[in-house]
Amino acid sequence: MPEPTKNTETTVTEQKTVQVAGGSRTEITTQTVKTGVQVKWQQDGKEVKSEKTVTQTEHTKRTLIVDNNVIQEEFSVVSGDTKVKEEKSAPPAIEEQSKPKDDVPETPKEETKPKVEQPEKAKDEDESSSVSTPPPDENARSMDRKGSVGQQEADKDSSQISTLFIEKPTSGSVNVGGDIKFIAKVEAKDLLRKPVVKWLKGKWMDLASKAGKHLQLKDTFDRINKIYTFEMQIIKAKENYAGNYRCEATYKDKFDSCSFDLEVTAAPDASHALDIRSAFKRSGEGQEDAGELDFSGLLKRREVKPEEGPEIDVWEILKSASPNEYEKIAFQYGITDLRGMLKRLKRMRREEKKSEAFSKKLDPAYQIDKGGRVKFVVELADPTVELKWYKNGQEIRPSTKYIFEHKGNQRILFINNCTLADDAAYQVCAGDEKCSTELFVREPPILVTKELENISTYCGERVELECEVSEVDANVKWFKNGVEITNEPRSRYRLKVDGKKHTLIMDEADRGDSATYSVMTTGGQSAAQLQVDLRPLKILQPLTDMTVNLGKEINLKCEISENVPGRWYRNGQLIHGNDRVQIFHKGRNHRLVIQNALVEDEGEYAFVPDLYLTNIPCNIHVIDPPRIHFDSLNYPDNTVVVVAGTKLRLEVPVTGEPAPKIIWSRGDKWITDLGGRIRAETYPDHGLLVIDSAEKDDTGTYRIMVKNEAGEAVAHIKIKVVDIPDAPQAPEVTEVGEDWCIMKWDPPAYDGGCPILGYFIERKKKQSSRWMRLNFDLCKETNFEPKKMIEGVAYEVRVFAVNSIGISKPSMPSKPFVPLAVTSAPTMLAVDNVTDTSVTMKWRPPDHIGAAGLDGYIIEYCFEAGGDEKQEKPEFTEAELEKLVEGVSKNGPQLCGALYAKTTKAEKSKIWADIQAKLNTVGGHNRSIADIKKRWNSLKKQTKDKLLQKKEDLPENSEVPTAVNELNPLEKRVEDLLRIEETEGTPLIDDDLQDDITGAEEWIVANPELTDKTRFTINGLPTGSRIFVRVKSVNAAGPSEPRLHPQPILVKEVIVPPKIRLPRHLKQTYIKKVGETVNLVIPFQGKPRPKVSWKKNGSHVDKTQISIRNSECDTILFIRKAEKSHSGKYDLKVKVDTLQDKASIHIQIVDRPGPPQVVVIEEVWGENVALEWKPPVDNGNANITGYTIQKADKKTMEWFTVLEHYHRTNATISDLVLGNEYFFRVFSENMCGLSEAATRTPNSALIEKEGKAYKRPEYKDFDFTEPPVFTHPLINTVAIAGYNATLNCSVRGNPKPKITWMKNKMIIENDPRYRMFSNQSVCTLEIRKPSPYDGAIYTCRAVNELGEAEVECKLEVKVAQ
């Protein structure tokens, strides 16, 4: 940012030109010198007051915000007597350009001036310089930013909105040799992966490849807050690290960047001098200090000798040499950066433009030794021009160090006592022209004047290695076996500097310090050997032998002459310290303490000092009284359980020192037999009791006694012999089902000495001999339910008892049994159809049918309770009563005779169902079984009452009852059944029927006989009634559970409103050609069956020409051969009762058109004939799409087509042959094709040959000249670094314009990286393998004598990820 003007009355600090994209928001910011100043914004001399403008004030910062502006405007800010203009325009990209004052030199700035290109000379020097030396413009920008940090950050914050960074690195300063860290944070909530972050210095230097001991890059991720943190740490900063840095973040199509500055406080004695050739030498790549201009890497490989002889100008040698010798010369003079050398050589050879201000410019580079004096001389063409000198962009003021002299046209700058800080880029400005140079300050090599000396010493002594160098406070590096020694606070090495004397100090040397130590300077090195040996060892106090009781402490102590560590061993094994074993070392004393001595601690101990081949031995003896450790065997209640028939080996651990004697006994009997079934064996650490093939009688208490000279111990052990249980009794099957049964059994008489854990159950088919286990988990109860058996197959079951020892023998099998069951209920019962008098039901077969199969289905229904459906039924007719009595008499033994008790309830239900079916067939009243049973009971009661009454009325002496004659024939038959009941002693049928006739629901069997269909229609239902329906499946085992329809069914047909489903293609005009078939199928819905009617153009369809077929769900309109008369509007109406639905269909039958009406030759002139005709009368029921015109020579009458698909009714026929006579004809055309016939001109047209010469009309020559105009502009382009990029545009102009390409308004010429060519007015600029530096504003200029035109675009170069 430029410095404020020197006028003390001015309150506004700067003037700006702001460029923004059209229609976007603009912020114009200025700053006052002090707060409290009244500021006004003006536009065209008037104060700004608009809805699109907003003003803001913050401290000394003044901001004007303009929304949605697309034109170029000029704003001014007024404060007191000061007025500053602010211009705003709308180019393709947003940029802000500061205008410096006249008294401040113009310095290039990438951040604020993207359109100003850096001079090519400075650009090449930046590319060819060492990676750690910042380019001159970097320092210039850094110094320029120091004076304008506040304003620049304010502008940057107002004009840039971060898209990725939530925390950006800020500028900072550090002293030479200090550390500094920069931090950037990126929020990862919306990111699927880690963003790519780059740290750069200047414009192009990627710091990722320069990481080493001075630069470290680190990134971390906070999973809780989802934030990526990126850190760049600079360690031991140097002066040349100062400059501008940039941090770039990239994620997919998002990009964010921020710049910051690093200021390093200069230290004159901390930098290194470089000559002109070393500027092209790089430190070793891949090493710790890769990329740094540090000679330490070179000193590790070779010794640098001072140069002797006269100074050699390598550039003069390269200028006069052939290009084939460049590599040889570079190798000879140690130049490794061939690319930078070639670029610099090419720039030196380039013919410079003659300067108007300078008659002689500065040399490209100067070299001087440290402490010397350098002279810069330029010669001016005009001595009156004011001249200014700059160092790294900062103006140089006269001082004792910088001396200016004028000699005629010469301007001289002297720099006295040059230091490494003077190694920089210098620039001199004369008006608007500049010239630059570089100064390289070389530091003389430092020599070793006093060599290191070999030293031999003992461990623990102080060691000092000394040397002297040629310079005071010189930079000296120490190495141990080639590894550099650093002077860190916690290091055991101390580096001491006293003038020219350098000392390496080790306070307490050890054997690890024995090595080769060397010292290196920039001009030499020296090495020496250090040998550290051990002192002779003496044993001042040896170890002594000890005898320790078990559990006591063992304390071993010794003393040696040297203070060295050592190791303790027991029986040759290394002893490690723990909570029980403690090792102490204090000075020359060593102690080993073992708490609670164990038997294992007995042995030979030894102490061995480190680094010495000496050991100090002793012996330790541990004694222990006898003990029995039976508790360690974990037997509950000291009881040992053994399975009968197995072998018992009971090992009881014992301890004691010396080994005790072991005695076993049972009761009063000692066990001493070593060869019997029960025997005892003795071992040093345990006693063994062996019982071969244990028996039930071996159960009892056994006694063990251990004894030695220190005492004795006794323990009692119980031994229990267990066996498998006895077999259970045969199980009993108590209940049988479809595929299951329930069985029970009693526990076994003997459980084997252990509780019964459970039972295993097995089954088999009666004819089979293979048993199958039913449970793999023990059954705890004495009952079980076997499942998954086959119906109709006989089975047997048996049981096993299980205890902890094993499984018993099987029980006896049970009696055979056969599982059998009815089917499951039918599934998916639903209503299929309903009419006014019937209900049709459908269902699916049962899920499970079983072995008995499926005989059929029974459908039953009942009326909804409490409704009008239960109407009072008429009395039984004589015919119905006859059928009732006949049915009961036929099945008399089952219903009231001797077979009554043996007849099942299901069989009785079938009998009554047969009676019901026959009775309803006769009467037709759909009487239920309950009604029939009620009427039968009533008929029996009526007969009994008559018989009883007649008995009371008989005379005492009468032998023949008179009442019998009064019974009707029906009652007589009932009387016979009553006698059967009395004689056979069966219960009264009244009581048997009581449960059936008292039910609330009266279910009526709809089908007298079983049906094997899954669909049935119940007829004869009253209209409007509601019924429940259920279905049962029947097999040999009887009827299944009923499947009931969940809702009552209304006996009334349902009306579905009519709805026409018109196909999509019929919603538009339906087009067919004449003769084709028309077949339209239009579906609809509705119940009952809808009535369908068709009309054409409001009249009924003629069915003799058009066939119409209707069904329950669709209607079909069919025309076998379509004619144009069939075209029209067809109306379809579907009607159900009072409801109806309509649809209209437009049918268009098209044909080829007729010929045009009249074709007339209107005019003949030259080789042309004008024709005109009228459209045809018949267009074929379609629009005329065009005409086809043909011509024929009168001589041959062969027709040739002249025009096709012509839309007008007049045409001009050209290019006719002179002297010929032509006829013409015209065809009409529509969507079906051409007309069958054509209309011909009645007369012919003669193309006459004129005798006189044809006089051509005079026309003025057309002026084709025009100024350049770009017909296709340049387009903003994004290129990938390393891949060729092209920019294209097209231009028109006459005369042909001259094309010039520019980069940032600088003409591109003689640059092999750019290729320019033009073809057919298409101009192309090819950029070969662009880098991020090539991103700029490119302009194409076209110039001819009539004017000029320009078009520009922005090229952005991205680095491939």
Side-chain angles (χ1 to χ4, degrees):
M1 174 180 173
E3 297 179 358
T5 182
K6 295 181 179 180
N7 187 1
T8 58
E9 298 179 357
T10 301
T11 58
V12 182
T13 60
E14 64 175 0
Q15 179 177 356
K16 294 182 180 178
T17 298
V18 181
Q19 295 186 355
V20 298
S24 62
R25 178 177 178 178
T26 310
E27 294 186 8
I28 304 175
T29 306
T30 187
Q31 191 167 0
T32 60
V33 176
K34 57 184 179 179
T35 59
V37 178
Q38 185 176 3
V39 174
K40 295 182 179 180
W41 292 90
Q42 294 183 355
Q43 180 182 4
D44 299 332
K46 298 180 180 180
E47 186 174 356
V48 177
K49 291 183 179 180
S50 174
E51 296 179 355
K52 296 183 178 181
T53 59
V54 179
T55 60
Q56 295 180 356
T57 301
E58 182 180 357
H59 197 53
T60 60
K61 179 180 175 182
R62 303 293 191 270
T63 305
L64 173 65
I65 303 174
V66 183
D67 288 335
N68 194 18
N69 200 344
V70 297
I71 61 175
Q72 181 172 354
E73 295 180 351
E74 179 176 303
F75 295 84
S76 60
V77 56
V78 180
S79 176
D81 297 333
T82 304
K83 181 175 182 181
V84 178
K85 294 183 178 180
E86 307 281 345
E87 295 182 0
K88 182 174 73 65
S89 58
I94 301 176
E95 58 185 5
E96 179 175 339
Q97 181 176 0
S98 298
K99 297 182 179 179
K101 302 299 180 180
D102 295 338
D103 58 341
V104 179
E106 185 175 357
T107 303
K109 291 187 179 181
E110 290 180 2
E111 293 80 357
T112 59
K113 296 184 179 180
K115 285 193 175 184
V116 178
E117 184 182 9
Q118 184 182 356
E120 189 174 358
K121 178 178 179 181
K123 174 188 69 176
D124 293 340
E125 290 175 356
D126 291 344
E127 295 178 354
S128 62
S129 62
S130 178
V131 293
S132 64
T133 303
D137 58 336
E138 292 291 333
N139 292 331
R141 288 194 298 270
S142 176
M143 297 303 293
D144 200 5
R145 282 189 289 269
K146 294 176 184 177
S148 57
V149 172
Q151 180 62 29
Q152 185 179 359
E153 291 180 352
D155 293 344
K156 192 180 298 182
D157 294 339
S158 63
S159 61
Q160 297 180 3
I161 300 176
S162 177
T163 58
L164 291 175
F165 288 119
I166 59 174
E167 180 179 335
K168 298 182 178 181
T170 57
S171 301
S173 62
V174 66
N175 296 328
V176 173
D179 299 344
I180 189 170
K181 182 185 294 184
F182 298 95
I183 299 176
K185 294 184 178 180
V186 177
E187 188 172 7
K189 291 182 179 179
D190 300 330
L191 307 184
L192 300 178
R193 56 180 175 83
K194 176 183 175 183
V196 179
V197 173
K198 291 186 177 181
W199 298 87
L200 303 107
K201 181 178 181 183
K203 296 179 293 185
W204 56 271
M205 185 187 297
D206 190 352
L207 298 179
S209 61
K210 309 303 176 184
K213 68 177 184 179
H214 293 289
L215 177 66
Q216 294 182 1
L217 303 179
K218 179 182 178 183
D219 60 88
T220 58
F221 178 62
D222 186 356
R223 297 185 179 276
I224 298 177
N225 299 322
K226 296 189 180 300
I227 293 176
Y228 285 100
T229 303
F230 299 89
E231 299 179 0
M232 180 183 72
Q233 184 176 8
I234 298 176
I235 303 171
K236 296 183 180 180
K238 299 181 181 180
E239 186 179 0
N240 55 3
Y241 291 176
N244 176 252
Y245 292 79
R246 189 168 75 259
C247 181
E248 294 181 354
T250 307
Y251 176 77
K252 292 185 178 180
D253 56 347
K254 296 182 180 180
F255 176 79
D256 200 356
S257 175
C258 62
S259 299
F260 56 93
D261 297 324
L262 173 62
E263 180 181 359
V264 181
T265 304
D269 57 343
S271 57
H272 301 279
L274 297 173
D275 60 5
I276 192 169
R277 283 172 289 173
S278 62
F280 293 95
K281 298 180 182 178
R282 305 183 188 274
S283 59
E285 297 181 359
Q287 300 178 4
E288 184 183 21
D289 54 353
E292 297 296 332
L293 289 179
D294 195 347
F295 284 103
S296 60
L298 298 176
L299 292 175
K300 295 176 184 178
R301 295 189 294 272
R302 64 181 182 271
E303 179 180 358
V304 179
K305 297 182 179 180
E307 297 184 2
E308 298 180 358
E311 191 72 24
I312 298 175
D313 191 350
V314 181
W315 300 114
E316 293 299 331
I317 298 175
L318 290 172
K319 285 181 182 179
S320 59
S322 172
N324 297 332
E325 300 178 354
Y326 286 168
E327 186 175 359
K328 178 180 179 182
I329 297 173
F331 179 76
Q332 179 180 356
Y333 291 97
I335 299 177
T336 58
D337 190 0
L338 296 179
R339 181 184 176 191
M341 181 193 74
L342 293 175
K343 287 185 177 181
R344 189 156 187 168
L345 186 61
K346 178 181 177 181
R347 183 174 65 253
M348 293 174 64
R349 289 186 171 183
R350 187 179 303 156
E351 183 179 352
E352 298 182 357
K353 294 182 179 180
K354 187 175 180 181
S355 174
E356 297 180 359
F358 298 99
S359 59
K360 181 181 178 181
K361 294 187 177 181
L362 295 172
D363 293 338
Y366 294 85
Q367 180 174 336
I368 191 67
D369 291 336
K370 181 179 178 182
R373 182 183 186 189
V374 68
K375 177 181 178 182
F376 295 149
V377 180
V378 295
E379 189 172 340
L380 299 177
D382 184 6
T384 62
V385 176
E386 183 181 359
L387 196 71
K388 291 186 179 181
W389 295 83
Y390 296 90
K391 173 185 175 182
N392 287 339
Q394 299 296 318
E395 185 177 0
I396 301 175
R397 301 295 182 181
S399 63
T400 57
K401 185 175 182 65
Y402 301 102
I403 300 175
F404 298 93
E405 289 187 4
H406 294 185
K407 291 184 180 180
N409 291 346
Q410 289 186 348
R411 300 294 184 267
I412 305 172
L413 169 63
F414 292 97
I415 302 178
N416 298 322
N417 192 18
C418 291
T419 63
L420 294 180
D422 296 323
D423 189 303
Y426 291 85
Q427 190 178 54
V428 58
C429 298
D432 295 334
E433 292 197 23
K434 307 173 185 177
C435 66
S436 303
T437 186
E438 287 188 77
L439 175 61
F440 297 94
V441 180
R442 183 175 60 186
E443 187 176 10
I446 299 173
L447 304 178
V448 179
T449 59
K450 182 180 178 181
E451 301 288 339
L452 296 175
E453 296 180 357
N454 297 334
I455 298 177
S456 178
T457 184
Y458 289 111
C459 293
E461 297 293 337
R462 176 185 175 94
V463 179
E464 294 185 1
L465 296 174
E466 297 181 355
C467 71
E468 292 185 4
V469 296
S470 57
E471 295 288 341
V472 177
D473 297 333
N475 187 12
V476 174
K477 294 184 180 292
W478 289 87
F479 298 88
K480 175 185 177 181
N481 290 335
V483 180
E484 184 178 355
I485 299 174
T486 58
N487 191 14
E488 297 179 355
R490 296 184 180 181
S491 175
R492 64 190 312 273
Y493 301 100
R494 290 190 296 111
L495 302 180
K496 179 180 179 183
V497 181
D498 185 9
K500 298 181 180 180
K501 184 178 179 181
H502 293 258
T503 307
L504 174 63
I505 302 174
M506 291 170 278
D507 290 331
E508 293 184 1
D510 55 24
R511 296 188 66 182
D513 294 328
S514 296
T516 300
Y517 292 84
S518 59
V519 61
M520 283 191 180
T521 65
T522 57
Q525 65 178 356
S526 177
Q529 296 288 336
L530 174 60
Q531 181 65 33
V532 181
D533 298 324
L534 297 174
R535 297 178 184 273
L537 182 66
K538 296 180 181 180
I539 301 175
L540 303 180
Q541 179 181 348
L543 298 175
T544 58
D545 296 340
M546 296 179 63
T547 299
V548 182
N549 291 331
L550 188 68
K552 300 298 182 179
E553 180 181 275
I554 300 175
N555 193 341
L556 301 179
K557 180 180 179 182
C558 68
E559 182 178 357
I560 57 178
S561 60
E562 298 297 330
N563 183 13
V564 295
R567 299 183 181 182
W568 291 87
Y569 292 87
R570 178 176 61 238
N571 297 329
Q573 299 294 326
L574 180 64
I575 299 175
H576 298 280
N578 52 40
D579 294 340
R580 193 175 68 88
V581 179
Q582 299 176 357
I583 300 174
F584 299 96
H585 173 212
K586 183 177 181 181
R588 298 179 297 180
N589 295 319
H590 297 267
R591 283 199 308 140
L592 173 65
V593 178
I594 302 176
Q595 305 290 340
N596 299 325
L598 304 176
V599 177
E600 293 81 3
D601 294 331
E602 183 175 296
E604 182 178 354
Y605 287 75
F607 173 74
V608 179
D610 289 347
L611 307 178
Y612 290 94
L613 300 177
T614 303
N615 65 335
I616 306 173
C618 72
N619 292 317
I620 300 298
H621 180 61
V622 180
I623 61 174
D624 184 21
R627 291 185 181 86
I628 300 174
H629 302 281
F630 190 74
D631 295 339
S632 62
L633 299 179
N634 296 325
Y635 287 118
D637 298 331
N638 290 347
T639 301
V640 179
V641 179
V642 61
V643 179
T646 62
K647 182 178 181 179
L648 172 64
R649 287 178 57 89
L650 180 60
E651 295 183 2
V652 180
V654 297
T655 59
E657 188 64 30
K661 182 180 179 181
I662 304 174
I663 302 174
W664 289 87
S665 64
R666 180 183 181 186
D668 298 335
K669 184 178 179 181
W670 300 96
I671 301 175
T672 57
D673 189 5
L674 299 179
R677 191 175 61 85
I678 302 175
R679 60 186 180 273
E681 299 178 7
T682 302
Y683 295 92
D685 58 345
H686 67 275
L688 177 61
L689 176 64
V690 179
I691 302 177
D692 293 333
S693 184
E695 299 175 356
K696 187 185 299 185
D697 296 336
D698 295 335
T699 302
T701 302
Y702 292 77
R703 177 173 177 268
I704 181 175
M705 181 178 66
V706 293
K707 183 178 181 181
N708 67 359
E709 59 188 17
E712 65 179 20
V714 178
H716 293 82
I717 303 171
K718 297 178 182 179
I719 296 179
K720 181 180 180 182
V721 180
V722 296
D723 200 355
I724 60 175
D726 292 342
Q729 298 296 322
E732 179 184 0
V733 178
T734 59
E735 188 175 353
V736 177
E738 174 185 2
D739 61 346
W740 53 270
C741 71
I742 296 177
M743 54 183 292
K744 296 181 180 179
W745 63 91
D746 294 329
Y750 173 64
D751 60 0
C754 296
I756 298 296
L757 301 179
Y759 301 91
F760 285 121
I761 297 91
E762 292 183 349
R763 78 174 180 212
K764 75 175 183 67
K765 297 178 182 178
K766 183 178 179 181
Q767 295 82 4
S768 175
S769 60
R770 185 172 62 89
W771 290 90
M772 182 178 67
R773 179 162 294 182
L774 302 182
N775 63 319
F776 293 96
D777 295 332
L778 291 176
C779 176
K780 306 296 184 180
E781 306 296 334
T782 57
N783 57 74
F784 188 75
E785 183 179 352
K787 296 181 179 179
K788 296 183 180 180
M789 291 183 287
I790 302 174
E791 291 185 70
V793 179
Y795 287 91
E796 294 178 351
V797 292
R798 66 181 183 182
V799 182
F800 293 84
V802 181
N803 63 5
S804 60
I805 305 306
I807 303 175
S808 70
K809 294 180 180 181
S811 67
M812 295 299 294
S814 66
K815 295 180 180 180
F817 62 93
V818 179
L820 188 67
V822 298
T823 66
S824 62
T827 59
M828 300 178 65
L829 178 64
V831 179
D832 188 28
N833 191 19
V834 178
T835 64
D836 290 342
T837 59
S838 66
V839 173
T840 302
M841 305 297 295
K842 62 180 180 180
W843 61 90
R844 300 287 295 170
D847 292 336
H848 178 69
I849 294 178
L854 178 63
D855 296 339
Y857 301 94
I858 296 177
I859 298 91
E860 298 178 342
Y861 69 93
C862 71
F863 294 97
E864 186 178 17
D868 297 336
E869 297 80 2
K870 292 189 176 181
Q871 302 174 357
E872 184 177 355
K873 296 182 180 179
E875 292 292 334
F876 281 77
T877 62
E878 291 294 332
E880 290 177 335
L881 292 176
E882 283 288 340
K883 285 292 181 182
L884 173 60
V885 175
E886 180 182 353
V888 174
S889 300
K890 183 179 179 180
N891 300 281
Q894 290 83 6
L895 296 179
C896 54
L899 300 179
Y900 177 81
K902 299 181 180 179
T903 306
T904 63
K905 191 174 183 180
E907 293 174 346
K908 295 176 183 178
S909 299
K910 287 185 179 180
I911 294 173
W912 284 108
D914 293 340
I915 296 173
Q916 178 197 24
K918 294 178 181 180
L919 189 145
N920 288 334
T921 302
V922 174
H925 295 296
N926 289 328
R927 300 187 186 276
S928 65
I929 295 177
D931 290 340
I932 296 172
K933 290 183 178 180
K934 286 180 181 180
R935 188 67 184 91
W936 170 248
N937 287 337
S938 175
L939 186 59
K940 287 199 306 179
K941 187 174 183 302
Q942 176 183 343
T943 303
K944 288 181 180 180
D945 291 342
K946 284 186 177 183
L947 292 175
L948 183 62
Q949 184 66 30
K950 292 302 179 181
K951 285 182 179 181
E952 293 177 356
D953 296 339
L954 277 176
E956 296 181 357
N957 298 325
S958 178
E959 296 181 358
V960 179
T962 58
V964 177
N965 297 328
E966 296 180 4
L967 296 177
N968 56 34
L970 187 64
E971 293 175 344
K972 290 180 180 180
R973 296 168 62 182
V974 174
E975 182 183 8
D976 295 337
L977 293 175
L978 293 175
R979 289 176 181 173
I980 294 175
E981 291 181 5
E982 294 177 358
T983 58
E984 296 183 2
T986 57
L988 294 176
I989 193 170
D990 308 25
D991 300 332
D992 182 58
L993 297 178
Q994 193 64 30
D995 295 336
D996 296 333
I997 64 178
T998 57
E1001 295 179 343
E1002 299 180 4
W1003 290 97
I1004 303 172
V1005 178
N1007 56 329
E1009 298 180 356
L1010 293 178
T1011 177
D1012 57 351
K1013 308 293 184 181
T1014 57
R1015 187 174 183 273
F1016 188 83
T1017 301
I1018 305 174
N1019 298 312
L1021 299 174
T1023 303
S1025 62
R1026 294 178 181 271
I1027 64 171
F1028 288 97
V1029 180
R1030 68 183 183 184
V1031 180
K1032 299 178 183 178
S1033 57
V1034 180
N1035 66 357
S1040 68
E1041 292 292 329
R1043 176 66 65 184
L1044 176 67
H1045 191 272
Q1047 301 295 335
I1049 304 169
L1050 176 63
V1051 186
K1052 184 177 182 181
E1053 191 166 7
V1054 179
I1055 296 178
V1056 177
K1059 179 66 177 180
I1060 299 175
R1061 304 293 184 182
L1062 191 64
R1064 181 176 298 178
H1065 69 280
L1066 295 179
K1067 294 182 180 180
Q1068 302 175 353
T1069 302
Y1070 184 75
I1071 301 175
K1072 284 287 186 177
K1073 294 182 180 180
V1074 173
E1076 293 183 346
T1077 301
V1078 178
N1079 187 8
L1080 304 181
V1081 179
I1082 304 173
F1084 57 81
Q1085 65 180 23
K1087 275 191 176 183
R1089 180 171 179 172
K1091 297 179 180 179
V1092 183
S1093 62
W1094 285 88
K1095 286 186 178 181
K1096 175 187 176 185
N1097 297 329
S1099 302
H1100 290 285
V1101 175
D1102 186 2
K1103 296 186 178 180
T1104 60
Q1105 298 181 0
I1106 301 175
S1107 298
I1108 295 176
R1109 293 190 291 272
N1110 300 325
S1111 66
E1112 294 182 356
C1113 58
D1114 59 19
T1115 178
I1116 301 175
L1117 186 145
F1118 180 77
I1119 304 175
R1120 187 173 300 278
K1121 289 186 179 180
E1123 299 178 358
K1124 289 193 290 184
S1125 60
H1126 294 149
S1127 301
K1129 178 182 178 184
Y1130 289 78
D1131 296 322
L1132 171 64
K1133 183 172 70 174
V1134 179
K1135 185 176 181 181
V1136 176
D1137 290 343
T1138 59
L1139 304 175
Q1140 65 181 8
D1141 191 16
K1142 297 181 179 180
S1144 298
I1145 303 173
H1146 295 272
I1147 299 178
Q1148 182 179 356
I1149 309 300
V1150 298
D1151 196 2
R1152 292 196 292 178
Q1157 297 184 34
V1158 178
V1159 181
V1160 180
I1161 299 176
E1162 291 290 333
E1163 184 179 0
V1164 179
W1165 75 97
E1167 301 173 356
N1168 307 311
V1169 174
L1171 300 177
E1172 187 174 350
W1173 62 90
K1174 294 183 180 179
V1177 177
D1178 182 13
N1179 61 357
N1181 202 17
N1183 295 330
I1184 299 297
T1185 60
Y1187 300 91
T1188 298
I1189 305 168
Q1190 295 181 347
K1191 68 179 179 178
D1193 192 350
K1194 187 176 181 182
K1195 298 177 182 179
T1196 60
M1197 289 306 292
E1198 293 183 3
W1199 293 96
F1200 299 93
T1201 300
V1202 180
L1203 296 175
E1204 288 183 321
H1205 311 300
Y1206 190 76
H1207 297 284
R1208 300 180 182 177
T1209 57
N1210 54 71
T1212 301
I1213 311 302
S1214 303
D1215 298 332
L1216 301 176
V1217 179
L1218 294 176
N1220 290 358
E1221 190 172 358
Y1222 293 92
F1223 285 95
F1224 300 92
R1225 67 180 181 183
V1226 181
F1227 291 87
S1228 302
E1229 183 180 4
N1230 65 1
M1231 62 185 297
C1232 294
L1234 296 176
S1235 61
E1236 295 181 356
T1239 303
R1240 199 182 78 172
T1241 57
N1243 301 322
S1244 62
L1246 177 62
I1247 310 302
E1248 298 181 353
K1249 296 182 180 179
E1250 298 183 1
K1252 59 181 180 179
Y1254 174 73
K1255 184 178 180 182
R1256 294 182 178 275
E1258 295 182 357
Y1259 299 100
K1260 294 183 179 180
D1261 293 337
F1262 185 78
D1263 186 9
F1264 290 93
T1265 59
E1266 64 174 338
V1269 176
F1270 282 94
T1271 59
H1272 188 279
L1274 291 174
I1275 300 175
N1276 293 340
T1277 305
V1278 178
I1280 304 300
Y1283 295 87
N1284 292 356
T1286 57
L1287 303 177
N1288 300 292
C1289 64
S1290 60
V1291 64
R1292 184 180 71 241
N1294 191 15
K1296 183 178 180 181
K1298 180 182 178 181
I1299 305 300
T1300 304
W1301 287 90
M1302 295 180 290
K1303 174 184 176 183
N1304 288 338
K1305 301 301 182 181
M1306 301 294 292
I1307 297 176
I1308 302 173
E1309 59 182 1
N1310 298 330
D1311 194 334
R1313 294 188 306 106
Y1314 298 92
R1315 181 185 173 198
M1316 295 165 283
F1317 50 91
S1318 176
N1319 184 19
Q1320 298 294 332
S1321 299
V1322 177
C1323 305
T1324 302
L1325 173 63
E1326 182 180 1
I1327 306 172
R1328 298 180 178 178
K1329 297 183 178 180
S1331 63
Y1333 173 76
D1334 293 321
I1337 303 298
Y1338 287 83
T1339 307
C1340 182
R1341 176 186 296 169
V1343 181
N1344 66 3
E1345 59 189 25
L1346 298 179
E1348 68 176 31
E1350 288 185 359
V1351 64
E1352 65 181 15
C1353 72
K1354 181 179 180 181
L1355 174 64
E1356 181 180 357
V1357 180
K1358 291 187 177 181
V1359 178
Q1361 302 298 325

